[in-house]
Amino acid sequence: MNILLLGAGGREHALAWKLAQSRFIADEGGTLYAAPGNPGIGQCTTLVSLDAGDHATVIAWCEAHSVDFVVVGPEAPLVDGLADSLRGAGIAVFGPSKAAAQLEGSKGFTKDLCERAGIPTAGYVRASSLAEATAALDRFAPPHVLKADGLAAGKGVVIAETREDADEALQEMFGGVFGAAGTEVVLEEFMEGEEASFFALTDGATIVPFGTAQDHKRVGEGDTGPNTGGMGAYSPARVLDPVLRGDAIERIIAPTVRQMAEEGMPYSGVLYAGLMLTPEGPKLVEYNCRFGDPECQVLMMRLESDLGEYLYAAATGSLASLPPPRFSADVAMTVVMAAKGYPGTPEKGGKIGGIERAEAGGAKVFHAGTALRDGHLVAHGGRVLSVTQRGQSVAEAQHKAYLAVDEIDFPTGFCRRDIGWREIARESA
Ligand code: AMP
Ligand code: GLY
């Protein structure tokens, strides 16, 4: 079977690395293509130049290259309905339909669905004008949680400590800082607790738990400074003990999958639940309709089963026929190396060396934002590399991950040196 993977980041490099090991590719002679990919993805796939926004061209290309299965990495093409177009042409797709991708594409949609299905989440109000939103602020005590309804590349959430900050943020949101994503805003009750991510594969009926992780969203050490897409992650998230995992499936994931199917929008693909562990149990913070980046890197580092089989089964309604996936008991950690300036304007073009040295010690260096210029690997994006290692404890995984980071020669880059601190403090307590 020939497979096409869409995307260009660290998440897609991790998916490509595991898909290349799948029996479909490694044993049965299939070809793994990736578009547009990056230099790291190019080491384990055949790169092609395709615009995921041009559905007709993607379909024609798949037909011309006998591609029977497309794996969509990022959320934007899913929210845009690419999976529907491909399925309409008889091509299997890993990733939800446009209707089902609303779980990520519209925060208001998800909150309403939670209400209809009785899923635990923060109280909320949807507002489609500044006046409505400002009036609704009175219903919540600070800190005020304000979210642009649509996709905003991870930047659409504002936590305002004071009423004044909230007023100002609402003015900016309705003034268009998030473009069309901010024409509607969701105001939420603030939830107190530790956050963790839970991943489940589903084909619309069967649910297969697919690992847990925690990430560090802030750019600075000690979880300070502006938010980013994620500066590092580790898996498993041990705070999600078996009881909490059971709770999350029973009270959040399963009712979501059931409700979506009942309402004629069956969800297939990966459901990535951001959870808040509150004194009343896990509550849903948000859903994503794709794997996390960099959470995917640590999941793939631990996955021992054939990724291709699971993704294909999710796409074709046959997850019930597979045994539970196997994950290594090891901890995996990834440290993101970003270009100076990130999450503002990152410095482009800085040279990168030493990846082979870093990998010689067992690390896997996933490319996130890299390019080749005159034969040199250079930075080409905010998050540039995702340096991933395994260990028997979080402390060991961290120690080995930073040994690998220290082999990398990337003068215009930086990373946090404290990924996993919370878990390491718990380990040594
Ligand atoms: P989201 O994009 O919805 O995941 O929000 C980004 C981040 O904002 C989350 O990871 C949380 O840290 C925080 N956040 C979102 N909603 C809430 C909430 N209702 N209460 C507390 N923190 C929240
Ligand atoms: N690392 C957070 C995300 O992928 O949304």
Side-chain angles (χ1 to χ4, degrees), residues 21-380:
Q21 299 165 36
S22 167
R23 70 175 167 86
F24 297 133
I25 306 299
D27 304 332
E28 295 169 15
T31 301
L32 177 62
Y33 297 99
N38 65 36
I41 296 172
Q43 290 165 3
C44 44
T45 70
T46 302
L47 294 184
V48 286
S49 162
L50 279 173
D51 170 9
D54 180 354
H55 300 189
T57 303
V58 175
I59 291 167
W61 188 90
C62 288
E63 285 169 348
H65 294 81
S66 306
V67 165
D68 316 298
F69 183 36
V70 176
V71 175
V72 184
E75 63 277 15
L78 296 166
V79 171
D80 179 45
L82 178 64
D84 308 70
S85 301
L86 288 163
R87 283 190 194 111
I91 299 165
V93 189
F94 179 76
S97 68
K98 181 175 181 146
Q102 288 181 92
L103 281 180
E104 177 162 2
S106 167
K107 295 193 186 283
F109 171 90
T110 300
K111 299 301 284 189
D112 290 349
L113 183 103
C114 286
E115 192 163 80
R116 290 197 295 282
I119 292 166
T121 185
Y124 74 108
V125 171
R126 296 176 78 164
S128 50
S129 72
L130 180 58
E132 224 183 304
T134 306
L137 273 180
D138 293 331
R139 299 181 42 185
F140 302 99
H144 293 284
V145 181
L146 315 170
K147 302 185 175 183
D149 182 73
L151 287 187
K155 300 190 178 87
V157 176
V158 175
I159 312 266
E161 296 296 334
T162 64
R163 173 72 197 230
E164 292 68 40
D165 290 350
D167 280 323
E168 198 176 312
L170 285 176
Q171 273 166 24
E172 286 180 6
M173 287 167 126
F174 285 103
V177 272
F178 299 122
T183 54
E184 181 174 332
V185 168
V186 176
L187 293 86
E188 283 185 17
E189 162 203 2
F190 183 81
M191 295 186 285
E192 209 71 72
E194 183 166 348
E195 282 181 75
S197 302
F198 184 92
F199 297 84
L201 298 183
T202 177
D203 52 15
T206 301
I207 294 166
V208 173
F210 211 63
T212 60
Q214 284 182 296
D215 75 340
H216 293 266
K217 288 206 170 60
R218 305 296 197 92
V219 75
E221 272 155 34
D223 294 327
T224 55
N227 261 317
T228 70
M231 294 300 290
Y234 47 93
S235 172
R238 285 195 285 218
V239 284
L240 279 176
D241 62 28
V243 172
L244 292 179
R245 287 203 301 275
D247 259 14
I249 295 171
E250 201 176 306
R251 300 176 62 209
I252 299 176
I253 308 282
T256 301
V257 170
R258 210 180 305 127
Q259 188 79 18
M260 292 295 283
E262 277 173 19
E263 295 187 13
M265 299 173 275
Y267 185 98
S268 74
V270 60
L271 203 45
Y272 159 6
L275 302 176
M276 190 72 81
L277 307 180
T278 76
E280 301 101 66
K283 292 189 181 179
L284 182 71
V285 180
E286 63 157 359
Y287 272 131
N288 295 304
C289 65
R290 36 115 191 138
F291 283 107
D293 188 347
E295 289 87 340
C296 187
Q297 290 85 312
V298 285
L299 294 183
M300 293 306 114
M301 198 71 175
R302 292 184 51 230
L303 180 65
E304 292 172 341
S305 302
D306 182 331
L307 178 68
E309 284 191 1
Y310 283 84
L311 301 190
Y312 190 64
T316 54
S318 48
L319 275 175
S321 67
L322 292 182
R326 281 175 291 105
F327 285 91
S328 156
D330 276 359
V331 173
M333 178 175 294
T334 192
V335 176
V336 168
M337 298 186 80
K340 283 179 188 163
Y342 179 75
T345 307
E347 239 178 83
K348 269 196 183 173
K351 282 193 184 157
I352 302 161
I355 290 182
E356 299 73 18
R357 270 198 317 274
E359 291 194 328
K364 186 70 203 161
V365 179
F366 295 112
H367 292 222
T370 65
L372 284 170
R373 292 276 176 277
D374 306 322
H376 280 291
L377 193 67
V378 299
H380 187 72

